[in-house]
Amino acid sequence: MEIKFYYAIPFLYNLSPMYTKIYLTALLIILTTGCSSTIPLNATTNTESFTLPELNSKTQVYVGDYMIDEGIKVTDNYLVVKETVDGVTYDIGKGDYRHLGTESNGKMYFSHISTNGGYVKPGVFVDPPFALSLDKVKGLCVSTIFIKDATCYEQAQSEITRKSIESSSAFQRTLIYNGSIGNKINISYREFSGGNARQAFTNNVEYDMAKSRVINYKGAEIEVLDYDNSSITYKVKKYFR
């Protein structure tokens, strides 16, 4: 099995030389004989593309809404801890914890590192955390590299759900309606990577409806059916290149 030394080593700094020797001896035994509490690391991320709205469908949006929304979303299973757990052996912070893997019996394990500010903090003289899991009887459990479900909290408020979380591999590009002045409408083009706007790919464009009710941008073609300063009704004829 793979042992995460960088989780274990900082813990040794708090131990006396005698306890450090005992801890390292136990770790050596696990390395040479195998670990009965192996946490599965077989989780897979679901990545899929999306484009809205459907071609040739009559659509109405308001100022600030997306006229075209296209991109790639990254979806995973997450353990959501709804309230911070103040435990004797471990504190578990409120947050979302990404899926690590699932056992053959269906039990799921999640990272002890949160994607949005949560944490798992060990107390004094306890093994460092490695994974979190939910048990119908035991509640929210902390596993270490040595023991599965080493400590559990029955009253913890938590659940497992699927979420599309902003990721470095996520990508999105949009056309946004900004309203109109007279016969002219204003549209913004935006690109996002990992949830952050790419400034080099941000642009505002103005179109004169007195000249044409069909607008084009980066290969996208839109037929404008009606508009005013608060909303626009249109059909998308072509998506972005």
Side-chain angles (χ1 to χ4, degrees):
M1 68 170 285
E2 180 185 1
I3 298 295
K4 306 291 187 180
F5 283 103
Y6 47 86
Y7 294 134
I9 290 175
F11 170 70
L12 300 181
Y13 297 155
N14 299 321
L15 300 181
S16 65
M18 180 184 70
Y19 281 108
T20 299
K21 184 177 180 180
I22 294 173
Y23 193 89
L24 289 176
T25 301
L27 186 60
L28 181 61
I29 293 173
I30 288 176
L31 285 171
T32 56
T33 64
C35 178
S36 60
S37 61
T38 302
I39 303 299
L41 303 176
N42 56 4
T44 58
T45 296
N46 182 35
T47 302
E48 58 183 344
S49 60
F50 64 92
T51 306
L52 298 171
E54 294 183 2
L55 288 176
N56 298 308
S57 64
K58 185 177 179 179
T59 305
Q60 182 182 34
V61 299
Y62 295 88
V63 171
D65 290 341
Y66 295 153
M67 295 179 65
I68 297 180
D69 187 11
E70 176 183 287
I72 298 172
K73 63 180 180 179
V74 180
T75 305
D76 286 296
N77 289 309
Y78 283 83
L79 172 63
V80 181
V81 177
K82 299 179 180 179
E83 297 294 339
T84 296
V85 177
D86 185 10
V88 175
T89 49
Y90 296 94
D91 292 339
I92 306 174
K94 177 180 177 181
D96 299 339
Y97 299 82
R98 191 189 301 270
H99 186 206
L100 287 179
T102 305
E103 291 183 323
S104 58
N105 62 5
K107 184 169 183 177
M108 303 172 72
Y109 291 88
F110 299 84
S111 172
H112 71 288
I113 300 173
S114 170
T115 59
N116 56 351
Y119 54 87
V120 182
K121 182 180 178 181
V124 179
F125 301 130
V126 296
D127 294 333
F130 185 80
L132 296 172
S133 62
L134 270 186
D135 187 278
K136 292 182 180 179
V137 177
K138 300 176 183 178
L140 178 60
C141 299
V142 179
S143 294
T144 71
I145 59 172
F146 301 104
I147 305 172
K148 289 181 180 178
D149 299 349
T151 301
C152 297
Y153 301 94
E154 294 182 16
Q155 304 302 319
Q157 298 183 40
S158 54
E159 65 179 3
I160 296 172
T161 186
R162 288 187 66 78
K163 285 190 174 186
S164 295
I165 302 293
E166 291 177 357
S167 165
S168 59
S169 58
F171 176 78
Q172 183 182 15
R173 53 182 179 171
T174 66
L175 283 181
I176 303 171
Y177 185 56
N178 291 331
S180 65
I181 299 178
N183 293 327
K184 296 181 179 181
I185 64 172
N186 187 278
I187 293 174
S188 295
Y189 175 77
R190 299 284 188 271
E191 286 189 7
F192 301 87
S193 179
N196 298 313
R198 305 173 67 192
Q199 295 302 321
F201 298 92
T202 296
N203 195 21
N204 292 329
V205 185
E206 193 172 72
Y207 295 91
D208 189 345
M209 294 290 97
K211 294 182 178 180
S212 175
R213 286 292 185 105
V214 177
I215 61 178
N216 294 272
Y217 194 86
K218 285 187 175 290
E221 183 178 302
I222 298 174
E223 178 187 359
V224 178
L225 303 177
D226 193 17
Y227 68 94
D228 56 33
N229 197 37
S230 63
S231 68
I232 185 170
T233 304
Y234 62 98
K235 290 183 179 180
V236 178
K237 313 300 283 187
K238 296 180 182 178
Y239 294 134
F240 295 120
R241 285 189 296 270

